[in-house]
Amino acid sequence: MREFASPGTIDLPTTGNLTDDVVRQAEQSPERALLAVPGPDGWTDVTADRFHDQVRRVARGLAASGIERGDRVLLLCSTRYEWTLFDYAIWFAGAVSVPVYVTSSPEQVAGILEDSGAIGAVVESAAHADLVRKAAGSEPGPRTWCVDGGAVDDLTRVGAAFTDDELETRRRSATPDTVATLVYTSGTTGRPQGCMLTHGNLMAEVRVAVAELDTLFQHDGAGTLLLLPPAHVFARVVQVGAIHAGVRLGHTGDVRALMQDLASFRPTFVLAVPRVFEKVFTAISQQAAADGRGRLFDRAVETAIAYRRASDSGRPGPVLRARHAVFERRVYAPMRATLGGRCRYAVSGGAPLGERLTHFFRGAGLTILEGYGLTETTAAVTVNRPDQAKLGSVGRPLGGVTVRVGDEGELQVRGPQVFPGYWNAPEATDDVLDDEGWLRTGDLGEIDDEGFVRVTGRKKEILVTAG
């Protein structure tokens, strides 16, 4: 059995919860642009103080409306500012958020409603409210608030009578061991299960990620654009990590506006799944073809790939360096400008990106760092760092994480990010989690002598479609 452990690089949280980051940012840097909201005239910044105030107002409204500590509240909304606002408001009220994809069917929503026992639901639109009502069937269904229907203002009004002291008691009631969210699996291997992720799971994940990816998170002017649905655990960690580190956070929920939003928001780094990077490449390629520069772009792609491969194995020759310099001016720099001109790093997870696309982006000045994790591991447990990367791998374990390869070639993980189990499903929990905290991932993999992990397949092959 092969095993590799990375030494701990942070102090694990023993007190507090995720809401402390919002309070700390408001106290220490009240005028910091913590978030940004898109509008017809560009992005409008939301200061740390303003966000803290809005979160508290909405949280008081939830509490005054009957949401108690530990209650589950559905979040059915696309990638937008209000998703983050309500996520933290639910936590401030001492409750548990249950994210749901906006593409979910009535049957899927009904299953999550029944299993989670949610008594409240925050939805984006009237259509989503109808979806929740249909999912509830003949049951009364959860109390529902509609973002597009003025939920923020309504809850602010309702919560006026709920005191700050009462809210602070609620906010402080959660500890690192308290469940923060139930994230339901896709169900590709059976009935969807609600992964219980604690405040401590998320706190440990973002603290070690921010510390070890400091090139991305810890510099003046850092900003990232959330590209994924927040119901995805990877997107959730991006959100929580940005709030923790004070990184300016924007949201884009319309794939048709992706390139426009990237150009206007000007992120310094992005985190996404391979499909997003494929869409970016396709959009740039199609634009080049429409401008009559398709053949030039194709040559630039091959040059970037050749340049990166040569750099990895030694040093590019003078001819290749000269050709790369030409395309840097004519193709690569303009391409980076379409991403806002400031983006130099991207983290990819969820599936292999592919060697060719990785080489292209790296050769064009955008370093993509691949990582690996599951919902059950609160997203990443391994990642390539800017100064410690190996192409074809998903990186080395994050600090405090141990990865091993079992007798059947299965990757197993232990660390502070590993969830405590599935909601209302002790038998399912026992199937994947042993008494020593080892999680059986279901993925096959290898670990080399330097600790870099490669994922080679699944124990039980499944087909996951774009749908």
Side-chain angles (χ1 to χ4, degrees):
M1 183 177 292
R2 194 169 183 83
E3 182 176 307
F4 188 90
S6 290
T9 54
I10 62 164
D11 293 329
L12 295 178
T14 58
T15 60
N17 60 67
L18 294 166
T19 67
D20 295 336
D21 287 332
V22 176
V23 176
R24 174 176 54 83
Q25 293 291 355
E27 290 177 347
Q28 296 179 0
S29 307
E31 298 305 314
R32 180 197 294 271
L34 195 59
L35 295 105
V37 182
D41 298 321
W43 295 84
T44 301
D45 288 339
V46 178
T47 65
D49 188 55
R50 172 64 175 159
F51 181 64
H52 177 229
D53 182 62
Q54 279 195 307
V55 167
R56 286 171 51 250
R57 290 173 184 271
V58 172
R60 287 202 302 262
L62 291 171
S65 299
I67 299 299
E68 302 287 348
R69 297 180 194 174
D71 283 346
R72 276 77 62 201
V73 180
L74 257 60
L75 256 176
L76 179 62
C77 184
S78 62
T79 310
R80 55 191 283 180
Y81 168 78
E82 287 81 6
W83 208 105
T84 299
L85 172 63
F86 272 97
D87 202 16
Y88 277 96
I90 290 167
W91 290 332
F92 262 68
V96 178
S97 53
V98 184
V100 180
Y101 287 97
V102 294
T103 54
S104 298
S105 67
E107 293 75 21
Q108 289 171 320
V109 177
I112 293 174
L113 269 176
E114 180 182 3
D115 188 69
S116 68
I119 67 165
V122 177
V123 300
E124 180 173 25
S125 65
H128 294 140
D130 288 340
L131 174 62
V132 171
R133 280 194 292 270
K134 184 180 296 185
S138 58
E139 301 296 327
R143 174 76 182 274
T144 302
W145 296 276
C146 180
V147 173
D148 288 344
V152 173
D153 290 339
D154 290 344
L155 285 168
T156 297
R157 233 177 356 259
V158 170
F162 200 85
T163 70
D164 286 336
D165 288 343
E166 290 176 299
L167 182 66
E168 186 65 5
T169 299
R170 286 279 197 100
R171 185 188 76 78
R172 290 176 176 270
S173 65
T175 72
D177 293 329
T178 302
V179 174
T181 184
L182 300 182
V183 182
Y184 279 80
T185 60
S186 63
T188 51
T189 56
R191 180 174 175 267
Q193 301 283 359
C195 294
M196 295 186 291
L197 300 183
T198 66
H199 284 267
N201 288 146
L202 283 157
M203 291 161 74
E205 171 72 4
V206 301
R207 289 183 184 184
V208 71
V210 168
E212 298 195 16
L213 296 174
D214 57 332
T215 304
L216 281 66
F217 284 93
Q218 299 181 31
H219 69 84
D220 291 339
T224 190
L225 190 61
L226 191 56
L227 313 173
L228 300 172
H232 193 295
V233 70
F234 191 13
R236 200 70 162 291
V237 167
V238 176
Q239 167 193 283
V240 175
I243 298 297
H244 172 73
V247 168
R248 182 171 175 260
L249 176 67
H251 303 71
T252 178
D254 185 354
V255 69
R256 296 167 297 181
L258 174 60
M259 298 305 296
Q260 177 183 337
D261 287 342
L262 284 167
S264 60
F265 185 83
R266 304 185 69 225
T268 58
F269 68 94
V270 292
L271 301 96
V273 294
R275 184 64 180 141
V276 171
F277 298 109
E278 292 166 3
K279 286 180 179 293
V280 169
F281 177 83
T282 299
I284 296 170
S285 175
Q286 290 176 342
Q287 186 60 53
D291 294 340
R293 302 169 71 241
R295 293 182 61 186
L296 176 71
F297 181 76
D298 291 341
R299 292 198 300 273
V301 169
E302 297 305 323
T303 297
I305 293 171
Y307 183 83
R308 196 63 251 177
R309 283 176 173 158
S311 298
D312 288 343
S313 60
R315 187 167 185 264
V319 174
L320 182 54
R321 290 202 306 273
R323 193 160 69 241
H324 185 271
V326 170
F327 285 125
E328 166 63 22
R329 294 191 301 272
R330 301 184 64 183
V331 177
Y332 310 143
M335 181 198 79
R336 294 195 301 270
T338 66
L339 305 179
R342 301 198 307 153
C343 194
R344 289 293 181 271
Y345 290 99
V347 179
S348 177
L353 178 59
E355 182 178 337
R356 181 175 172 82
L357 208 54
T358 302
H359 273 314
F360 163 70
F361 278 118
R362 292 177 68 202
L366 177 65
T367 299
I368 295 183
L369 307 169
E370 291 196 76
Y372 167 76
L374 310 170
T375 304
E376 290 86 345
T377 63
T378 322
V381 284
T382 72
V383 68
N384 280 292
R385 285 73 154 177
D387 59 342
Q388 298 176 16
K390 184 174 287 189
L391 189 65
S393 82
V394 290
R396 301 170 71 180
L398 290 167
V401 172
T402 304
V403 178
R404 72 184 184 189
V405 179
D407 295 335
E408 297 180 354
E410 182 183 23
L411 289 173
Q412 299 176 8
V413 178
R414 184 169 65 182
Q417 299 95 324
V418 174
F419 79 146
Y422 296 112
W423 179 259
N424 290 333
E427 291 184 1
T429 299
D430 291 340
D431 285 343
V432 299
L433 202 61
D434 70 16
D435 294 337
E436 296 180 346
W438 285 101
L439 175 75
R440 293 181 284 274
T441 67
D443 291 315
L444 303 176
E446 304 168 346
I447 307 173
D448 69 16
D449 293 338
E450 297 177 286
F452 286 92
V453 177
R454 296 177 187 272
V455 179
T456 59
R458 289 282 300 174
K459 281 188 69 176
K460 297 179 181 179
E461 290 298 336
I462 58 174
L463 175 65
V464 181
T465 68

